[in-house]
Amino acid sequence: MSATDRPSGQQKKTYESAFLKACRSEPVPHTPVWFMRQAGRSLPEYLKVREGIPMLESCMRPELVTEITLQPVRRHKVDAAIYFSDIVVPLKAIGLDLDIKPGVGPVIADPIRTRADLARLRALTPDDVSYVTEAIGMLTDELGPTPLIGFAGAPFTLASYLVEGGPSRNHERTKAMMYGEPELWADLLDRLADITSVFLKVQIEAGVSAVQLFDSWVGALAPADYRRSVLPASAKVFDAVATPGVPRIHFGVGTGELLGLMGEAGADVVGVDWRVPLDEAARRVGPGKALQGNLDPAVLFAPTEAVEAKTREVLDAAAGLEGHVFNLGHGVLPNMDPDALTRLVEYVHTRTAR
């Protein structure tokens, strides 16, 4: 099933948007722009509405999710919204004892380390995340022709949090399981692939126009390890959520050596961080895929002239691509000036107007 097939239901009204045209590698009126983490700590209006509300609780309040998701669309005039949530939400929804600690990230009270622990990873049902369906319904009504991107964490990245018990620099326990207990590892990723697939299907059925699978930590692996120990689970997710007219995006950090394999997993669009120029990334990914990226987020702290110069480099490298969605090479940084993002959107739109 291809993203070029005609959509049905909610997705129809966004089908001709610049963002979805770029995902389908069709001609666009301008290069579309959105930013990972565009809804978040860089916005004073976000800090105001989130004040005193824990992160996971905020993800379960449909009215709050709707407001936060819309904020960057109003302010920056981006070409797509991304649903406000967190990659551990489906794990919390199935009853795991976890929390998102400020300044740390997701922390798991009882890590998954043995085969017996797998029993705690029960199947996710749509009823477990009914607040997601409700929020997406509210959002699609508000957004009209502006696409809404749904997302989830990829099996490897979720597994890394579960096995380590939280963020990890070296992924020691994760790799120890992957190398030392390959059957347990494969079963863990397979179960997470099922949970992730259901979470994304809920979002698609509720009306998102595209989905992105975040594999934030997979850049820690060598290509051979990725192919053997990660690719099957990611491919299972992409196959499960193949939906007419709903592009699938795959993104990871530090994944320059994995770009071809990430495209092979089944995405329609491959996200590229700032370490590999887009023309080289296209060579690695191969034909038939659009690319997304890839301005270094730190560039936004430089003067406007420098930001525009680096943006031109990205756009020039993307000139020969089949399809291109402009984004940062990773997420918006917390202390970034939001006005710099607004200027960047306007600059890309103006520079690429056809």
Side-chain angles (χ1 to χ4, degrees), residues 105-262:
V107 176
I108 316 297
D110 297 304
I112 304 293
R113 302 271 171 83
T114 68
R115 181 159 295 280
D117 292 333
L118 287 184
R120 289 163 30 216
L121 296 178
R122 69 164 176 84
L124 180 74
T125 71
D127 288 343
D128 292 323
V129 287
S130 58
Y131 46 85
V132 172
T133 299
E134 184 179 348
I136 290 173
M138 296 167 67
L139 277 163
T140 53
D141 286 345
E142 290 277 349
L143 286 165
T146 301
L148 175 63
I149 304 166
F151 78 92
F156 175 84
T157 292
L158 293 179
S160 177
Y161 280 119
L162 288 174
V163 174
E164 301 290 342
S168 171
R169 182 181 297 273
N170 298 310
H171 309 281
E172 300 96 326
R173 291 181 179 273
T174 304
K175 291 184 177 182
M177 182 186 292
M178 186 175 71
Y179 297 135
E181 299 181 85
E183 291 183 3
L184 173 59
W185 172 259
D187 289 346
L188 170 60
L189 259 65
D190 189 65
R191 194 162 298 199
L192 290 170
D194 289 338
I195 291 168
T196 298
S197 298
V198 171
F199 191 53
L200 289 175
K201 283 179 184 176
V202 166
Q203 295 174 64
I204 291 170
E205 288 168 9
V208 300
S209 297
V211 290
Q212 176 157 312
L213 192 66
F214 281 88
D215 216 347
S216 307
W217 303 125
V218 79
L221 298 183
D225 292 330
Y226 179 92
R227 179 179 290 282
R228 177 178 56 251
S229 303
V230 176
L231 180 59
S234 294
K236 183 178 184 179
V237 174
F238 283 120
D239 184 61
V241 302
T243 306
V246 180
R248 298 156 296 174
I249 309 168
H250 202 5
F251 175 75
V253 185
T255 52
E257 297 300 321
L258 305 177
L259 287 172
L261 291 167
M262 290 177 71

Side-chain angles (χ1 to χ4, degrees), residues 9 17 23 46 55 61 85 91 93 106 109 114 121 125 140 145-146 149 171 175 266 268 284 288 327 330:
S17 64
C23 290
Y46 167 83
M55 177 62 185
R61 294 190 185 183
S85 187
L91 302 180
T114 68
L121 296 178
T125 71
T140 53
T146 301
I149 304 166
H171 309 281
K175 291 184 177 182
D268 306 294
R284 297 183 188 186
N327 207 312
H330 198 194

